[in-house]
Structures are given as C-alpha cells and as structure tokens.
Amino acid sequence: MEKVMDVEDVFESKEYGTIIVGLSPVLTSLNKIGDNIVVRTPEHKELGLKVVSVQISNSPTDKKMVGICLGNSIKPIDIPLGSVVYTIS
C-alpha cells in the first residue's frame, strides 16, 4: 500500500456524499474513478472504499490539495480526522 494523505477534513455533500480532504506532497498513485483505497483510522480500523471522484489542486506550499469523493458508501462520522488514506496496489 502507498500512502496518499492524512485526512484533515471530512464532510458530506447532499449531491456527492462523503468527501475527505488532505494534503499530499507528491500524488502519483490515485488518479481514476473506481480506484480502491484503504482508510486507516487512528484506532487502526481499516476501511476499504472505492473512489467516486478526485479533485486535485496545488497549494501555495507546492503540495497537492486532494479531495476524494466516496459517495454514499460511508458517512463522515465513520472517518475521524487524522485517519490515513492508502492506495491498494
């Protein structure tokens, strides 16, 4: 597994479902809809999820601001801040 980012924000959109947000210094492995990811919570619980969509923008510190839409497959309360997102090889 390759680390994508630490979860810094989680929220729910009526239109898109649950969205997780974080910074990634170099994002190379997450680039398409349907990618499988694992979210590891601070309590070491692993959640296997599918990416519905990804939005990436550059931050002023040359890191990638990443928003990953997970749709309605999970609720924001199930993903605590500080969780870590990994891609599945």
Side-chain angles (χ1 to χ4, degrees):
M1 289 192 301
E2 184 179 336
K3 181 178 176 179
V4 174
M5 67 181 189
D6 295 323
V7 176
E8 297 179 16
D9 194 13
V10 181
F11 60 94
E12 187 170 24
S13 161
K14 286 183 182 181
E15 189 174 351
Y16 300 108
T18 299
I19 299 169
I20 55 178
V21 180
L23 290 174
S24 180
V26 178
L27 183 65
T28 59
S29 58
L30 182 70
N31 56 14
K32 59 186 174 187
I33 295 171
D35 279 353
N36 292 307
I37 60 170
V38 170
V39 176
R40 186 176 293 151
T41 70
E43 296 82 27
H44 305 290
K45 182 178 177 182
E46 291 191 355
L47 308 167
L49 301 163
K50 278 202 182 291
V51 173
V52 173
S53 66
V54 178
Q55 182 172 344
I56 303 168
S57 59
N58 288 325
S59 76
T61 59
D62 286 334
K63 292 185 180 179
K64 307 276 188 216
M65 178 74 68
V66 181
I68 301 173
C69 178
L70 302 171
N72 294 313
S73 65
I74 193 164
K75 295 292 180 194
I77 195 165
D78 297 323
I79 303 176
L81 297 182
S83 296
V84 180
V85 179
Y86 298 91
T87 57
I88 298 174
S89 304

